[in-house]
Amino acid sequence: MKKLFAGISIIVFTLSFAHIASAETMSQDEQVIHIINRITYGPNAETIDHVKKIGVQNFIEEQLHPENISTPDSLSSKLSNMKTINMPLDTLVAEYGNPLQMARMDKNKDAEKDARKNSNIIVEELSQAKVERGVESNAQLQEVLTDFWFNHFNVFAEKERDRFYVSSYERDAIRPYTMGRFRDLLEATAKHPAMLVYLDNWLNTDPNSRAARGKQNGINENYAREIMELHTMGVDGGYTQTDVTTLAHILTGWGLGKGKTMEEKSVFYFDPKRHDYSDKIFLGHKIRGRGEAEIEEALDILATHPSTAHHISYQLAQNFLADQPPETLVKKMAETFTHSNGDIREVLETMFKSPEFWDKQYFRKKFKPPFRYIVSALRVTNVEADDNLIMLPALKNMGEPLYRNLTPDGFPNTNDHWVNSDALLKRIDVAKRIIKAALNTGKNVSAAELIKVLGGDFSQDTISAINGAGQNLQPVMVLSSPEFLYY
Amino acid sequence: MAMNRREFVKMMGLGVGYSMLRFGHGGMAFASDAPVDKHLIVIMMRGAVDGLSIVVPYNEQAYYKNRPNIAIQRSEVLTLDERFGLHPSLAPLMPLWTNKSMAFVHASGSPAETRSHFEAQDIMETASEHPGSTGWMNRLVQILPDTNSSTRALSFGNTLPRIFEGSYNVATVPRGIKGGNGKMAFDNPKVGGAFDSLYKNNPELHSLYKDAVSSREEMVADLNEEMTAASKDAAKPDEFVNQCEKLAKMMSRDAKIQLAFMDVGGWDTHINQGNAKGQLANKLEKLGTALAALCQGLGDRYKDTTIVVMSEFGRTVAENGNQGTDHGHGNVMWLFGGNVAGGKVWGQWPGLEQTQLHEARDLAVTTDYRSVIGQVLVSQFKLSPEQVSKVLNTYTPAPDLNGLV
């Protein structure tokens, strides 16, 4: 009995000690690695020295202002060789959409197949560009945030016409707003044809309206629900099924251009003839029925709702800090969100300046999802862009097929989804292929060099395990080590 | 909030925590008298499939009134009984109805009010409304007798589904795994040893790695001889059909696989759902083919296996403005297997008149999905009430499905 009690008191002691220890702040060297891990896709040969030289705070400041960061020439030239990533939406539709539509009208199966195949280049180049930018861009936080917000406002490139829209969606509706005002980001996504098609709102119609007919004959709740559940308030944000239905009525007519050609149908257009003009009560607000302005009002209500401030802050903190972010931090961020009128840059600053962000318990605790894993491996090994081609199928194989997440919640970013046995084996396999590619192009990928680039703080256990292995295997083991699998 | 494996290991600080957990901790009593040769496959149709198009209540006037464009006509259904008919695309499954190894439980589902896909799926997979709970199939595998295999529980896909989250390391069957052809780095014992030492001081990765390598060995062995035979067939274009065939092959060969989970998406038919033909019909046709292949491929194992097909909630009784359906409530669950009392639509049919609907719009739930699972746990796995309560998170299954399995 005595022994048992002694055992219990040891456990209690250990637990409380663990609690005190967990409030410890990271060392300066850890802070350098932590900030690089969280706001970039991991160190390349220069990153650690750069951050040590200018200091962590200046590095954060630098990354929060991507407009002042120049694009490396090698990246610019790679991007400029891509045909479609800078094509305006109407050109994309004219070049790739119209041939498909024509083939369909002619009922020419072969031509349809060809047109479809030709249009694959849009998503292929966009995916390729995403990897290139992740690896080479110096505006790393901008890339991390583009990924975050795309995922937050996810669309699926295989849904109907979205294959023609998806690169414009990322470029025109996401990239310009990553650190801007949330309300602008919400509006840009709400109006983009990619979202209007993906969540069906282009069909959402007042059943009693003059123009209700055919496939546009009534209400569709899809977007109304997801904009509240995923984009703004969160599933526990305090709305009801009535609010979903009401918002669907408010959103009637918010859709795409009329006309016969795919180009005409690929622009945002509010159709007053399909709108429900009745007065409505949405989330307790009286909304006077008056057309498009109702939708702007509803977006205002959503963007400024306290639940939205909390939900967005939680999502950001989960992405940048911890799977279960501390509520104290989320609250501070939500306050900033509210006071700054949804200024994303300020919300990020609040997070990066908080003591919670530097709490040692979060150091290297998130398991890298596939895209982050691959891009960070390419950065540390300096493997050339052309070799990335093999990486797109690998991403699909690992569960992150770029731009092809079917469901609107996007890819998960928490350990509970990604840590599994198959994930580990596949990372080892990819590590082997990347090291092979590096060796083929004459890169110095000795284990010692890689560890140095990564900040040099590998544990003694890891280092002795690596040293105990054969020469060729050593760099593969660096990329498979606990220090590299987590960030 | 429930502690997951990783947190637990972190707390223990040492690898010992893990092995304790793996082999039954916290009073998770083994079902020592439970049979070792019983199997359960759960298939989740993610996206909320329209159950009213699957098991069609062809006598209900309200069904046709609410669905002018997307109803399945009485003349088109495959008659199941005097009330219900099966979607014609599911014809490949009719032999299983005739031999009485396929059953449905209509108007079933979760009583949770949510119409969020993701929340509803989480609830169904954890049998809990508390976020962060472990998956009920992970709790189940810890209660079942240990068959001393690293592939006792199989999950298909690249990420771990919520239903399998928890302290037991579930083997994941990756997309595109092949038999002996798909060599990976660690298949070389020397290389494997190096990684073993790389992870030896990281309990999470070490246990994951060890389980991964051994389950991979078993999977490769399971598939090796069979794939040769399979490669004679033309390649199937549909991935889910492939997965079903793969699972059937593995389970028919390896009796130690006790639990398996697969999911299949694309059922969120907000627009252009179609009726006896069209979008949903095409998807159901593939699904029917896949399920028939699974049941057939299990061979002798089928008699000791129960297959449960479920979806997070149903869809609105009325079609929406775009000839689709929005998120609803009650749905239909499907069961297959040698022990299933099939050839029967189980459950209490609540009707589709306006006053009979949930919130005046959706099929009501008259059978809790946990009661269906509970039947399998009791009849198939012989779990005690205490064990059922652990798997179902204190829920006590209602008795009205007695005899279903």
Side-chain angles (χ1 to χ4, degrees), chain B residues 352-365:
Chain B
L352 293 181
E353 293 304 325
Q354 199 67 17
T355 53
Q356 297 167 323
L357 299 182
H358 173 76
E359 295 180 358
R361 60 179 252 161
D362 304 327
L363 177 64
V365 170

Side-chain angles (χ1 to χ4, degrees), chain A residues 26-268:
Chain A
M26 294 171 202
S27 73
Q28 281 198 336
D29 282 348
E30 284 169 339
Q31 291 188 17
V32 169
I33 291 168
H34 182 61
I35 196 66
I36 294 170
N37 275 344
R38 299 308 174 99
I39 72 174
T40 82
Y41 282 114
N44 66 16
E46 284 102 47
T47 323
I48 297 272
D49 286 345
H50 173 64
V51 178
K52 280 191 171 162
K53 198 173 136 208
I54 67 169
V56 166
Q57 286 312 317
N58 287 334
F59 182 60
I60 293 171
E61 203 48 34
E62 172 200 293
Q63 289 297 314
L64 284 169
H65 292 280
E67 66 278 9
N68 302 329
I69 301 174
S70 58
T71 307
D73 292 342
S74 64
L75 177 59
S76 301
S77 86
K78 274 167 201 156
L79 295 178
S80 65
N81 284 336
M82 293 182 192
K83 233 166 105 180
T84 60
I85 56 164
N86 286 317
M87 257 186 201
L89 182 65
D90 53 355
T91 316
L92 286 164
V93 172
E95 289 265 320
Y96 299 100
N98 287 350
L100 184 66
Q101 191 189 26
M102 253 134 59
R104 277 189 190 146
M105 275 159 54
D106 296 346
K107 298 207 159 87
N108 183 339
K109 287 274 172 208
D110 288 342
E112 188 180 328
K113 217 172 129 188
D114 286 348
R116 183 163 269 278
K117 213 174 139 198
N118 287 340
S119 70
N120 286 342
I121 190 175
I122 302 170
V123 182
E124 274 166 20
E125 286 193 336
L126 183 62
S127 307
Q128 184 74 13
K130 187 178 165 80
V131 178
E132 306 284 13
R133 284 168 165 146
V135 176
E136 289 194 34
S137 174
N138 291 324
Q140 282 280 299
L141 179 57
Q142 166 69 356
E143 295 310 316
V144 171
L145 282 168
T146 300
D147 177 73
F148 170 81
W149 287 118
F150 189 104
N151 209 44
H152 184 83
F153 293 101
N154 186 48
V155 301
F156 173 51
E158 300 297 319
K159 169 98 179 234
E160 299 165 29
R161 288 173 270 161
D162 271 0
R163 57 169 46 230
F164 310 117
Y165 301 159
V166 64
S167 63
S168 157
Y169 181 69
E170 179 175 292
R171 183 189 63 222
D172 304 327
I174 303 289
R175 278 191 174 275
Y177 308 100
T178 53
M179 299 183 212
R181 288 207 184 278
F182 180 74
R183 176 65 177 84
D184 297 336
L185 177 59
L186 184 64
E187 171 107 5
T189 57
K191 278 189 164 164
H192 199 282
M195 183 59 80
L196 289 160
V197 166
Y198 177 54
L199 291 178
D200 305 320
N201 206 69
W202 71 288
L203 294 161
N204 182 22
T205 303
D206 175 18
N208 303 315
S209 63
R210 279 173 290 163
R213 68 176 70 90
K215 294 264 159 82
Q216 292 182 319
N217 204 28
I219 295 297
N220 189 310
E221 287 177 4
N222 201 7
Y223 183 55
R225 181 182 308 283
E226 304 303 2
I227 195 175
M228 286 201 276
E229 176 182 333
L230 299 172
H231 300 170
T232 59
M233 297 170 68
V235 70
D236 297 321
Y239 57 88
T240 63
Q241 173 60 38
T242 310
D243 290 316
V244 174
T245 311
T246 305
L247 183 56
H249 279 267
I250 293 170
L251 285 165
T252 47
W254 182 266
L256 294 169
K258 294 194 267 196
K260 289 223 158 56
T261 69
M262 201 184 278
E263 279 162 282
E264 288 168 313
K265 287 191 286 192
S266 298
V267 289
F268 170 77

Side-chain angles (χ1 to χ4, degrees), chain B residues 139-393:
Chain B
R139 298 195 292 271
L140 174 59
V141 73
Q142 295 180 62
I143 286 175
L144 295 179
D146 195 343
T147 54
N148 295 313
S149 156
S150 53
T151 49
R152 290 176 58 200
L154 288 180
S155 172
F156 282 70
N158 300 105
T159 56
L160 195 64
R162 183 75 65 189
I163 203 164
F164 266 144
E165 272 176 24
S167 54
Y168 183 86
N169 270 354
V170 170
T172 38
V173 185
R175 213 191 292 235
I177 190 173
K178 294 192 197 90
N181 320 333
K183 278 256 180 250
M184 288 174 106
F186 32 76
D187 290 339
N188 174 341
K190 220 166 120 191
V191 173
F195 286 102
D196 194 67
S197 83
L198 183 63
Y199 300 130
K200 70 173 186 292
N201 289 308
N202 183 309
E204 175 169 75
L205 293 180
H206 195 236
S207 67
L208 215 53
Y209 180 74
K210 276 174 42 185
D211 287 349
V213 170
S214 60
S215 62
R216 185 180 147 76
E217 275 165 16
E218 291 188 28
M219 279 187 254
V220 169
D222 277 348
L223 290 168
N224 214 355
E225 57 191 62
E226 301 291 345
M227 291 313 275
T228 334
S231 63
K232 284 177 200 145
D233 304 335
K236 299 284 188 304
D238 185 68
E239 197 184 323
F240 188 65
V241 179
N242 280 333
Q243 281 189 6
C244 282
E245 288 180 343
K246 197 185 280 183
L247 176 62
K249 274 168 198 141
M250 296 174 85
M251 288 186 70
S252 64
R253 183 186 176 276
D254 183 354
K256 290 177 173 178
I257 301 169
Q258 292 164 298
L259 302 179
F261 176 83
M262 292 192 287
D263 50 16
V264 53
W267 307 101
D268 196 17
T269 48
H270 284 278
I271 62 170
N272 297 337
Q273 181 171 308
N275 38 47
K277 293 213 160 66
Q279 192 196 159
L280 180 60
N282 294 339
K283 289 195 167 121
L284 287 176
E285 193 177 342
K286 282 184 186 158
L287 182 80
T289 311
L291 292 174
L294 175 59
C295 294
Q296 201 190 1
L298 284 171
D300 268 0
R301 197 79 63 219
Y302 185 66
K303 68 178 185 335
D304 297 314
T305 303
T306 302
I307 302 167
V308 176
V309 183
M310 59 190 196
S311 192
E312 66 266 30
F313 44 69
R315 309 192 68 84
T316 47
V317 171
E319 69 182 55
N320 68 11
N322 314 129
Q323 303 187 6
T325 44
D326 291 324
H327 300 185
H329 194 56
N331 207 330
V332 64
M333 290 172 78
W334 326 23
L335 288 98
F336 302 86
N339 296 321
V340 170
K344 177 175 169 182
V345 180
W346 292 70
Q348 284 160 14
W349 180 246
L352 293 181
E353 293 304 325
Q354 199 67 17
T355 53
Q356 297 167 323
L357 299 182
H358 173 76
E359 295 180 358
R361 60 179 252 161
D362 304 327
L363 177 64
V365 170
T366 55
T367 302
D368 193 302
Y369 75 101
R370 289 168 293 187
S371 288
V372 180
I373 307 294
Q375 272 299 314
V376 181
L377 300 181
V378 171
S379 306
Q380 176 98 341
F381 292 120
K382 311 287 179 216
L383 297 198
S384 69
E386 292 74 28
Q387 291 168 328
V388 171
S389 173
K390 277 197 178 107
V391 176
L392 296 180
N393 211 351

Side-chain angles (χ1 to χ4, degrees), chain B residues 93-104:
Chain B
L93 298 177
M94 279 310 275
L96 299 165
W97 179 262
T98 313
N99 79 14
K100 297 201 187 317
S101 70
M102 170 170 79
F104 294 99

Side-chain angles (χ1 to χ4, degrees), chain A residues 303-372:
Chain A
T304 55
H305 197 284
S307 298
T308 302
H310 187 274
H311 179 61
I312 298 299
S313 300
Y314 186 94
Q315 299 276 308
L316 282 167
Q318 185 175 62
N319 193 68
F320 283 94
L321 186 61
D323 290 1
Q324 276 140 10
E327 188 54 30
T328 50
L329 171 64
V330 175
K331 256 178 97 173
K332 274 184 262 188
M333 292 167 70
E335 276 164 24
T336 303
F337 187 99
T338 304
H339 292 149
S340 67
N341 199 10
D343 187 317
I344 298 162
R345 186 180 279 110
E346 286 196 30
V347 175
L348 290 169
E349 264 184 314
T350 299
M351 171 165 51
F352 299 147
K353 285 186 175 153
S354 73
E356 289 90 338
F357 190 80
W358 303 102
D359 187 332
K360 200 176 161 94
Q361 66 168 310
Y362 302 122
F363 185 69
R364 244 184 219 142
K365 283 289 150 49
K366 277 179 85 76
F367 189 75
K368 292 177 183 173
F371 180 73
R372 176 175 283 275

Side-chain angles (χ1 to χ4, degrees), chain A residues 2-32:
Chain A
K2 224 178 177 180
K3 259 188 181 165
L4 184 68
F5 279 121
I8 289 170
S9 66
I10 286 168
I11 291 170
V12 171
F13 173 76
T14 314
L15 280 181
S16 51
F17 180 75
H19 179 72
I20 295 162
S22 73
E24 197 186 316
T25 302
M26 294 171 202
S27 73
Q28 281 198 336
D29 282 348
E30 284 169 339
Q31 291 188 17
V32 169

Side-chain angles (χ1 to χ4, degrees), chain A residues 240-468:
Chain A
T240 63
Q241 173 60 38
T242 310
D243 290 316
V244 174
T245 311
T246 305
L247 183 56
H249 279 267
I250 293 170
L251 285 165
T252 47
W254 182 266
L256 294 169
K258 294 194 267 196
K260 289 223 158 56
T261 69
M262 201 184 278
E263 279 162 282
E264 288 168 313
K265 287 191 286 192
S266 298
V267 289
F268 170 77
Y269 173 68
F270 174 75
D271 185 355
K273 292 195 186 122
R274 292 191 292 114
H275 183 72
D276 174 354
Y277 280 85
S278 65
D279 291 345
K280 304 160 187 95
I281 294 175
F282 174 56
L283 292 170
H285 298 261
K286 270 191 184 165
I287 297 201
R288 192 169 50 80
R290 62 195 191 284
E292 198 175 353
E294 290 171 54
I295 296 154
E296 296 297 346
E297 189 181 348
L299 294 179
D300 287 341
I301 292 169
L302 288 172
T304 55
H305 197 284
S307 298
T308 302
H310 187 274
H311 179 61
I312 298 299
S313 300
Y314 186 94
Q315 299 276 308
L316 282 167
Q318 185 175 62
N319 193 68
F320 283 94
L321 186 61
D323 290 1
Q324 276 140 10
E327 188 54 30
T328 50
L329 171 64
V330 175
K331 256 178 97 173
K332 274 184 262 188
M333 292 167 70
E335 276 164 24
T336 303
F337 187 99
T338 304
H339 292 149
S340 67
N341 199 10
D343 187 317
I344 298 162
R345 186 180 279 110
E346 286 196 30
V347 175
L348 290 169
E349 264 184 314
T350 299
M351 171 165 51
F352 299 147
K353 285 186 175 153
S354 73
E356 289 90 338
F357 190 80
W358 303 102
D359 187 332
K360 200 176 161 94
Q361 66 168 310
Y362 302 122
F363 185 69
R364 244 184 219 142
K365 283 289 150 49
K366 277 179 85 76
F367 189 75
K368 292 177 183 173
F371 180 73
R372 176 175 283 275
Y373 178 76
I374 284 182
V375 171
S376 64
L378 294 172
R379 279 173 67 77
V380 66
T381 53
N382 194 22
V383 167
E384 254 311 306
D386 293 344
D387 303 326
N388 295 351
L389 278 173
I390 57 167
M391 291 305 147
L392 298 179
L395 278 168
K396 183 176 177 222
N397 203 19
M398 293 164 89
E400 203 175 352
L402 300 181
Y403 305 104
R404 289 189 169 100
N405 188 308
L406 173 72
T407 51
D409 53 340
F411 292 112
N413 68 359
T414 51
N415 292 9
D416 49 8
H417 283 95
W418 291 116
V419 179
N420 62 66
S421 52
D422 178 50
L424 182 59
L425 297 194
K426 280 190 175 143
R427 277 157 183 73
I428 297 173
D429 206 47
V430 164
K432 192 180 129 201
R433 287 155 67 181
I434 290 176
I435 293 301
K436 201 172 158 201
L439 291 171
N440 285 345
T441 48
K443 298 277 161 31
N444 176 6
V445 287
S446 69
E449 175 64 19
L450 295 179
I451 291 172
K452 192 177 129 232
V453 171
L454 291 167
D457 71 328
F458 278 37
S459 76
Q460 220 28 60
D461 290 331
T462 302
I463 289 175
S464 53
I466 291 172
N467 289 340

